[in-house]
Amino acid sequence: YYKFNLYQSKHPVRVGPIMVQVTHVDTKHWRYNMYVTVSDKRIEKKNKTLYEPVQFYTRDAMAPLELVVFEVKKNEIVGYISAPKVQQAKQASAVSSSQ
């Protein structure tokens, strides 16, 4: 799991294996808009609500990553990204072999 607190900004922030940019937060209806950058592809996610899982695949993944937001504040979202254990093991071995 990769926990995050992301603020509304004009620049993406790295969270685990992906980049996330929060573009709009609506605290009245618990909604948010964001861009997710995965494997050099920028994907817009609009009107996502609290506790709504956003699933997407990376280039080498057999199972999807899942992004869940469990708190919406003024100009901020709080949540986590869950990545499959197999993918985490591949990333760790790739880092250790490159050193």
Side-chain angles (χ1 to χ4, degrees):
Y1 286 95
Y2 301 96
K3 295 182 181 179
F4 61 79
N5 289 21
L6 295 174
Y7 293 92
Q8 187 173 338
S9 71
K10 294 184 180 184
H11 303 288
V13 176
R14 177 163 296 283
V15 179
I18 64 168
M19 302 281 284
V20 180
Q21 176 187 354
V22 179
T23 57
H24 178 74
V25 179
D26 179 6
T27 55
K28 183 177 179 182
H29 297 104
W30 301 306
R31 293 179 187 250
Y32 60 95
N33 296 344
M34 67 180 172
Y35 285 104
V36 178
T37 306
V38 180
S39 301
D40 297 330
K41 304 285 190 232
R42 189 172 187 214
I43 304 161
E44 184 176 22
K45 300 293 185 177
K46 284 187 150 189
N47 294 323
K48 297 298 172 184
T49 58
L50 208 58
Y51 298 109
E52 178 181 353
V54 178
Q55 295 182 338
F56 46 88
Y57 287 89
T58 59
R59 185 173 295 153
D60 300 325
M62 295 288 210
L65 289 131
E66 186 173 79
L67 184 143
V68 178
V69 172
F70 54 82
E71 191 172 351
V72 176
K73 300 177 184 178
K74 183 177 180 181
N75 298 327
E76 179 185 10
I77 60 173
V78 179
Y80 66 88
I81 295 175
S82 65
K85 289 184 180 182
V86 175
Q87 182 179 8
Q88 291 174 351
K90 283 183 183 179
Q91 287 178 350
S93 66
V95 169
S96 63
S97 65
S98 66
Q99 294 178 351

